[in-house]
Short mmCIF file of all heavy atoms in Angstrom, two decimals:
data_model
loop_
_atom_site.label_atom_id
_atom_site.label_comp_id
_atom_site.label_asym_id
_atom_site.label_seq_id
_atom_site.Cartn_x
_atom_site.Cartn_y
_atom_site.Cartn_z
N ARG A 108 -17.72 20.16 -20.91
CA ARG A 108 -17.90 18.86 -21.56
C ARG A 108 -16.71 17.94 -21.31
O ARG A 108 -16.86 16.75 -21.09
CB ARG A 108 -18.11 19.05 -23.06
CG ARG A 108 -19.59 18.97 -23.39
CD ARG A 108 -19.80 18.88 -24.88
NE ARG A 108 -19.83 20.20 -25.47
CZ ARG A 108 -19.41 20.49 -26.68
NH1 ARG A 108 -18.88 19.58 -27.44
NH2 ARG A 108 -19.51 21.72 -27.14
N VAL A 109 -15.50 18.53 -21.32
CA VAL A 109 -14.29 17.73 -21.08
C VAL A 109 -14.30 17.18 -19.66
O VAL A 109 -14.03 16.00 -19.42
CB VAL A 109 -13.03 18.60 -21.29
CG1 VAL A 109 -11.78 17.84 -20.86
CG2 VAL A 109 -12.91 19.00 -22.74
N ALA A 110 -14.67 18.04 -18.71
CA ALA A 110 -14.70 17.59 -17.32
C ALA A 110 -15.71 16.46 -17.14
O ALA A 110 -15.45 15.47 -16.45
CB ALA A 110 -15.05 18.77 -16.41
N LEU A 111 -16.87 16.60 -17.82
CA LEU A 111 -17.92 15.57 -17.69
C LEU A 111 -17.45 14.24 -18.26
O LEU A 111 -17.70 13.18 -17.69
CB LEU A 111 -19.15 16.02 -18.48
CG LEU A 111 -20.36 16.50 -17.69
CD1 LEU A 111 -21.55 16.64 -18.61
CD2 LEU A 111 -20.70 15.56 -16.54
N ALA A 112 -16.74 14.33 -19.40
CA ALA A 112 -16.31 13.11 -20.08
C ALA A 112 -15.15 12.42 -19.36
O ALA A 112 -14.86 11.27 -19.61
CB ALA A 112 -15.92 13.44 -21.51
N ALA A 113 -14.47 13.16 -18.48
CA ALA A 113 -13.26 12.60 -17.86
C ALA A 113 -13.41 12.55 -16.35
O ALA A 113 -12.59 13.08 -15.61
CB ALA A 113 -12.07 13.47 -18.25
N ARG A 114 -14.45 11.89 -15.89
CA ARG A 114 -14.78 11.88 -14.47
C ARG A 114 -13.62 11.39 -13.59
O ARG A 114 -13.45 11.83 -12.46
CB ARG A 114 -15.98 10.96 -14.22
CG ARG A 114 -17.23 11.51 -14.82
CD ARG A 114 -18.35 10.54 -14.70
NE ARG A 114 -19.59 11.28 -14.59
CZ ARG A 114 -20.25 11.45 -13.47
NH1 ARG A 114 -19.84 10.90 -12.36
NH2 ARG A 114 -21.35 12.16 -13.44
N ASP A 115 -12.82 10.47 -14.11
CA ASP A 115 -11.75 9.91 -13.29
C ASP A 115 -10.54 10.83 -13.16
O ASP A 115 -9.89 10.87 -12.14
CB ASP A 115 -11.32 8.54 -13.85
CG ASP A 115 -11.09 8.61 -15.35
OD1 ASP A 115 -11.62 9.55 -15.98
OD2 ASP A 115 -10.39 7.74 -15.88
N LEU A 116 -10.24 11.61 -14.23
CA LEU A 116 -9.01 12.41 -14.23
C LEU A 116 -9.28 13.84 -14.66
O LEU A 116 -8.65 14.33 -15.60
CB LEU A 116 -8.03 11.80 -15.23
CG LEU A 116 -6.92 10.90 -14.73
CD1 LEU A 116 -6.01 10.55 -15.89
CD2 LEU A 116 -6.13 11.58 -13.63
N PRO A 117 -10.23 14.50 -14.06
CA PRO A 117 -10.66 15.78 -14.62
C PRO A 117 -9.56 16.83 -14.76
O PRO A 117 -9.45 17.45 -15.79
CB PRO A 117 -11.75 16.26 -13.67
CG PRO A 117 -11.66 15.40 -12.47
CD PRO A 117 -10.94 14.15 -12.84
N LEU A 118 -8.73 16.97 -13.76
CA LEU A 118 -7.79 18.08 -13.77
C LEU A 118 -6.81 17.98 -14.94
O LEU A 118 -6.60 18.94 -15.69
CB LEU A 118 -7.04 18.11 -12.45
CG LEU A 118 -6.31 19.40 -12.16
CD1 LEU A 118 -7.24 20.59 -12.31
CD2 LEU A 118 -5.75 19.36 -10.74
N GLU A 119 -6.27 16.77 -15.09
CA GLU A 119 -5.30 16.57 -16.17
C GLU A 119 -5.94 16.80 -17.54
O GLU A 119 -5.39 17.46 -18.41
CB GLU A 119 -4.81 15.13 -16.09
CG GLU A 119 -3.39 14.95 -16.55
CD GLU A 119 -3.00 13.52 -16.24
OE1 GLU A 119 -2.74 13.23 -15.04
OE2 GLU A 119 -3.01 12.72 -17.17
N ARG A 120 -7.16 16.23 -17.68
CA ARG A 120 -7.84 16.37 -18.97
C ARG A 120 -8.27 17.81 -19.20
O ARG A 120 -8.22 18.31 -20.33
CB ARG A 120 -9.08 15.45 -19.01
CG ARG A 120 -8.71 13.99 -19.04
CD ARG A 120 -8.20 13.59 -20.42
NE ARG A 120 -9.28 13.55 -21.39
CZ ARG A 120 -10.06 12.50 -21.58
NH1 ARG A 120 -9.86 11.40 -20.90
NH2 ARG A 120 -11.02 12.53 -22.48
N VAL A 121 -8.69 18.48 -18.15
CA VAL A 121 -9.10 19.88 -18.27
C VAL A 121 -7.92 20.71 -18.77
O VAL A 121 -8.04 21.50 -19.70
CB VAL A 121 -9.63 20.42 -16.92
CG1 VAL A 121 -9.65 21.94 -16.88
CG2 VAL A 121 -11.02 19.87 -16.63
N ARG A 122 -6.74 20.46 -18.20
CA ARG A 122 -5.56 21.23 -18.60
C ARG A 122 -5.18 20.93 -20.05
O ARG A 122 -4.85 21.82 -20.82
CB ARG A 122 -4.37 20.88 -17.71
CG ARG A 122 -4.43 21.59 -16.39
CD ARG A 122 -3.00 21.93 -15.94
NE ARG A 122 -3.02 22.27 -14.54
CZ ARG A 122 -2.60 21.45 -13.59
NH1 ARG A 122 -2.14 20.27 -13.88
NH2 ARG A 122 -2.65 21.84 -12.34
N ALA A 123 -5.24 19.65 -20.43
CA ALA A 123 -4.87 19.27 -21.80
C ALA A 123 -5.83 19.94 -22.79
O ALA A 123 -5.43 20.44 -23.83
CB ALA A 123 -4.91 17.76 -21.94
N ARG A 124 -7.12 19.95 -22.43
CA ARG A 124 -8.12 20.53 -23.33
C ARG A 124 -7.88 22.04 -23.50
O ARG A 124 -8.04 22.62 -24.56
CB ARG A 124 -9.52 20.26 -22.77
CG ARG A 124 -10.62 20.73 -23.65
CD ARG A 124 -10.63 19.97 -24.97
NE ARG A 124 -11.21 20.77 -26.01
CZ ARG A 124 -11.13 20.50 -27.29
NH1 ARG A 124 -10.45 19.47 -27.70
NH2 ARG A 124 -11.71 21.28 -28.17
N LEU A 125 -7.49 22.62 -22.38
CA LEU A 125 -7.22 24.05 -22.35
C LEU A 125 -6.11 24.41 -23.34
O LEU A 125 -6.26 25.33 -24.15
CB LEU A 125 -6.76 24.33 -20.94
CG LEU A 125 -6.26 25.65 -20.57
CD1 LEU A 125 -7.40 26.62 -20.67
CD2 LEU A 125 -5.76 25.59 -19.14
N LEU A 126 -5.03 23.65 -23.29
CA LEU A 126 -3.91 23.94 -24.19
C LEU A 126 -4.33 23.66 -25.63
O LEU A 126 -3.93 24.37 -26.56
CB LEU A 126 -2.69 23.10 -23.80
CG LEU A 126 -2.18 23.46 -22.40
CD1 LEU A 126 -1.01 22.57 -21.99
CD2 LEU A 126 -1.75 24.93 -22.30
N ALA A 127 -5.22 22.67 -25.81
CA ALA A 127 -5.69 22.38 -27.17
C ALA A 127 -6.53 23.55 -27.69
O ALA A 127 -6.42 23.91 -28.86
CB ALA A 127 -6.51 21.09 -27.16
N ILE A 128 -7.36 24.15 -26.85
CA ILE A 128 -8.18 25.30 -27.28
C ILE A 128 -7.26 26.44 -27.72
O ILE A 128 -7.44 27.06 -28.76
CB ILE A 128 -9.13 25.76 -26.14
CG1 ILE A 128 -10.25 24.74 -25.94
CG2 ILE A 128 -9.70 27.15 -26.42
CD1 ILE A 128 -11.20 25.07 -24.80
N ARG A 129 -6.21 26.68 -26.93
CA ARG A 129 -5.29 27.76 -27.25
C ARG A 129 -4.56 27.49 -28.58
O ARG A 129 -4.52 28.32 -29.47
CB ARG A 129 -4.27 27.91 -26.11
CG ARG A 129 -3.33 29.07 -26.30
CD ARG A 129 -2.05 28.85 -25.55
NE ARG A 129 -1.40 27.60 -25.97
CZ ARG A 129 -0.30 27.12 -25.42
NH1 ARG A 129 0.26 27.73 -24.42
NH2 ARG A 129 0.23 25.99 -25.87
#
Side-chain angles (χ1 to χ4, degrees):
R108 260 191 274 148
V109 172
L111 254 191
R114 292 174 149 256
D115 48 340
L116 260 186
L118 196 52
E119 211 173 285
R120 291 285 288 274
V121 162
R122 280 215 195 103
R124 184 64 207 166
L125 173 66
L126 297 177
I128 288 177
R129 184 204 57 184

